[in-house]
Amino acid sequence: MSSLDNGGSVRTIFVDFRKAFDLVDHNLLFDKLKNMYGIPNCLLKWIGSYLKHRQQRVRANQTTSSWKQLKGSWIGPLSFLALISDLTTGCLVHKYVDDTTLSEVLQPNANNSNMKDFMENLLNWADQNHMQLNTTKTKEMILGPLSRSQLPILSTPLGPIDRVSSFKLLGVYIETTLCWSLHVDNMIKKATKRLYFLKQLMRAGLPSNHLFHYYSTVIRPVLE
């Protein structure tokens, strides 16, 4: 924010990894758990026995389906966090579960950017860790006064990265102008749709305490 206040800009890449939790390489994961976190072998074997050859099937009355191999697990998000903990690209990297954001601060009147090199570092890390970048869902945004036409479009071997004027990150709509109108409008639309169901419940004769419970748990959190 201090850079934007001083007339600078921020070039941001919202990274999306394809099937982030399902594509975690367990061998790489165990190496990092052992070397970076010092997890003992007995615990690694315990985790490995849970992740290896997991299957499920469905039973209805006396009929049972065939076994199906599982790719994900309840510890999938934790596994991904451990795998991505050593991701560095040379610029600011913010990570929250499977949401990864690269940010480069550009000074006022800047006409060059190192984001291409940072993206190359990201792609190298993804290749070394057997992860895949989802180019169609990965987006670029330039915050601040810098004209978007001054910087070339970034691309990956799978295609160019779209440059957008707004993006939804962790439930918040961000605009290049840092205006909150888009976010407020979407929150109002979301709350309005839920208010409709509140009216339907009221017309159905639901007691007032139940109506208040619905409002406080379903509608008010959106507005707050």
Side-chain angles (χ1 to χ4, degrees):
M1 290 301 295
S2 59
S3 176
L4 295 175
D5 291 339
N6 294 326
S9 302
V10 178
R11 193 176 192 182
T12 303
I13 306 295
F14 303 105
V15 180
D16 184 88
F17 290 103
R18 190 179 75 85
K19 296 183 178 180
F21 301 152
D22 295 340
L23 294 182
V24 173
D25 187 304
H26 294 159
N27 292 326
L28 290 174
L29 172 65
F30 293 153
D31 286 341
K32 293 185 180 183
L33 289 176
K34 180 178 181 180
N35 298 326
M36 295 176 58
Y37 299 100
I39 304 298
N41 288 329
C42 59
L43 288 181
L44 293 178
K45 291 181 179 179
W46 182 46
I47 298 173
S49 66
Y50 172 76
L51 295 174
K52 187 176 180 181
H53 303 310
R54 298 184 66 243
Q55 296 179 317
Q56 72 174 15
R57 64 180 180 178
V58 177
R59 179 179 179 181
N61 297 326
Q62 301 302 317
T63 303
T64 305
S65 68
S66 58
W67 288 101
K68 181 176 178 60
Q69 193 79 21
L70 294 180
K71 293 183 178 180
S73 69
W74 285 104
I75 62 173
L78 292 177
S79 301
F80 179 77
L81 288 176
L83 183 73
I84 204 175
S85 60
D86 63 347
L87 170 61
T88 57
T89 62
C91 66
L92 292 173
V93 180
H94 298 90
K95 293 173 279 189
Y96 185 84
V97 193
D98 61 337
D99 288 306
T100 302
T101 304
L102 310 185
S103 300
E104 178 189 17
V105 178
L106 301 174
Q107 299 303 318
N109 301 320
N111 55 9
N112 63 332
S113 168
N114 297 317
M115 186 57 77
K116 183 178 180 181
D117 297 330
F118 302 147
M119 279 295 299
E120 190 66 28
N121 294 336
L122 173 68
L123 293 173
N124 290 335
W125 179 92
D127 183 62
Q128 295 170 5
N129 289 268
H130 303 164
M131 299 299 295
Q132 300 176 17
L133 202 67
N134 190 337
T135 304
T136 58
K137 291 186 178 181
T138 297
K139 306 296 181 181
E140 177 193 5
M141 179 184 292
I142 299 176
L143 304 170
L146 185 66
S147 173
R148 296 192 294 170
S149 60
Q150 293 180 242
L151 300 175
I153 296 293
L154 297 170
S155 62
T156 71
L158 297 178
I161 295 176
D162 292 336
R163 184 174 291 171
V164 297
S165 58
S166 63
F167 188 83
K168 185 180 179 181
L169 179 65
L170 302 178
V172 178
Y173 290 87
I174 303 174
E175 298 182 74
T176 55
T177 59
L178 293 181
C179 177
W180 291 102
S181 59
L182 179 62
H183 178 75
V184 172
D185 290 343
N186 278 276
M187 292 302 100
I188 291 175
K189 290 179 181 178
K190 190 174 183 180
T192 301
K193 291 180 180 179
R194 300 185 180 192
L195 278 171
Y196 169 78
F197 291 105
L198 179 63
K199 293 179 181 178
Q200 295 299 105
L201 294 173
M202 183 172 59
R203 291 172 181 173
L206 207 67
S208 58
N209 60 324
H210 290 178
L211 295 174
F212 177 77
H213 178 73
Y214 177 85
Y215 169 80
S216 60
T217 57
V218 177
I219 300 175
R220 192 171 68 185
V222 174
L223 301 176
E224 292 180 346

